[in-house]
Amino acid sequence: MRREARPFDLEALPTVAEARRRFLAALPAWRPPEEPVPLLEAAGRVLSRDVAAGDDVPAFPRSMVDGFAVRSQDARAAMSRGLRVVGRVAMGSAPKATVGPLQAVWIPTGGPLPPGADAIVPVEATEAVGDWVRLREPVRPGDNVLSRGADVRAGQVVLPAGHRLRAADVGALASVGCTRPWVYRRPEVAILSMGDELVPPDRIPAEGQVRDANAYSLAAAVRADGGIPHVLGIVPDDKNRLENALRDALQWDMVLMSGGSSVGLDDVAAEVIAKLGPPGVVVHGVRLAPGKPTVLAVVGDRAVCGLPGNPVSSLVAYDLFVRPALYWRMGWPGGRPPATVRARLAEPLAAPKGREFHARVRLVAGPEGLVAQPVAGGSGQLATMARADGLVTVPLERSSLPAGETVEVRLLV
Ligand code: AMP
Ligand code: MG
């Protein structure tokens, strides 16, 4: 069969939002396999089971300040005559002293409330006179006491399944004694590069050859997002070789390839991906710049993405389509919205007609806040993206953004 090069009909292509919706809707329900991990390796992982506290936290009423443990009913006398200091609470053991009428006990922050006392007066609100202490302010029951179970109650779910662990979460697990949380396995992502012109990056390219950059930028992105990349190497522009390589790559959780995704004579990605199995290709071409020639497919329960060969385009398409699919595969379908900052455009941004434009910008601190400086360059100029701090979206319905407009900049990871 002879192929013909037929250009994309822009009007017929889905918008970015529609393409993403179709792609994600085609992915089946997926619960990844799970494994326990040591707490020190848990950051960034997604919990596969709820974690409930075995005990109350704190396990005993604790002082929230350095000060004196007192009986609140003594407040009036404490402000005039003062209270007698009869001891001190030590950290890390049960309190030995008891607070009797008109008595006070010194207590450090976090120390256990001694029997008899029902409130703590901060040291700043007292005046010491020998063995006596006078209060400068009234005190009510429970003042400055963190009651038992105030942080977490025994049996309460501290963190639910599907939650991705951050620093505070790892600490919260430690505080309830969960030292080997159950988490989903990290998705393993196969990465292929297609093109007769490509050589590995450690080669000196002959005339007409270029080094494979995409496999490496995509692998870095996958790793940053919590996946495990497998760079499988370079495939020539050949349908059979590509089909074999893709079938082999389907042993992994997800497959990314770059190159050959457009509609030229050598662009066989969409055709070959379509042969891998149902449900098949759900998107070929998006009203996006850079990144129009993107192929999004589902094969069985695996996402297969044919990304554009142009290095900037492949990363923009990764950002918009691959990352949400990776989050789905790692058991975190909600994912995380991108980190953004607001900045004022230093120059106008003109978008290519009929496509949502994702412009590279550099951020510079100005006297009135951050300024976004557009970095001009084609989608083949990866160094322009390396110089950029983030991306600004020019929506489909606007052909340009004027200088001075406040924009949201998605920071590049
Ligand atoms: P293609 O999508 O195959 O039409 O490629 C578009 C442009 O991207 C061409 O200039 C390719 O040489 C270039 N390209 C394709 N794959 C890669 C890659 N892995 N690394 C760097 N450049 C690439
Ligand atoms: Mg090519």
Side-chain angles (χ1 to χ4, degrees), residues 234-280:
I234 296 165
V235 190
D237 288 310
D238 175 274
K239 275 190 226 172
N240 294 327
R241 300 276 294 273
L242 178 63
E243 184 173 345
N244 289 339
L246 284 173
R247 289 201 187 279
D248 184 47
L250 280 169
Q251 68 182 289
W252 306 108
D253 284 287
M254 240 171 107
V255 180
L256 309 183
M257 64 165 292
S258 68
S261 63
S262 192
V263 288
L265 293 177
D266 290 331
D267 292 332
V268 296
E271 187 184 334
V272 174
I273 290 173
K275 283 170 47 178
L276 298 176

Side-chain angles (χ1 to χ4, degrees), residues 217-230:
S217 52
L218 292 171
V222 164
R223 180 159 290 147
D225 288 327
I228 300 173
H230 294 279

Side-chain angles (χ1 to χ4, degrees), residues 24-46:
L24 297 179
L27 296 169
W30 173 251
R31 184 185 156 84
E34 56 175 356
E35 62 187 357
V37 282
L39 206 43
L40 283 175
E41 282 153 42
R45 305 297 297 271
V46 179

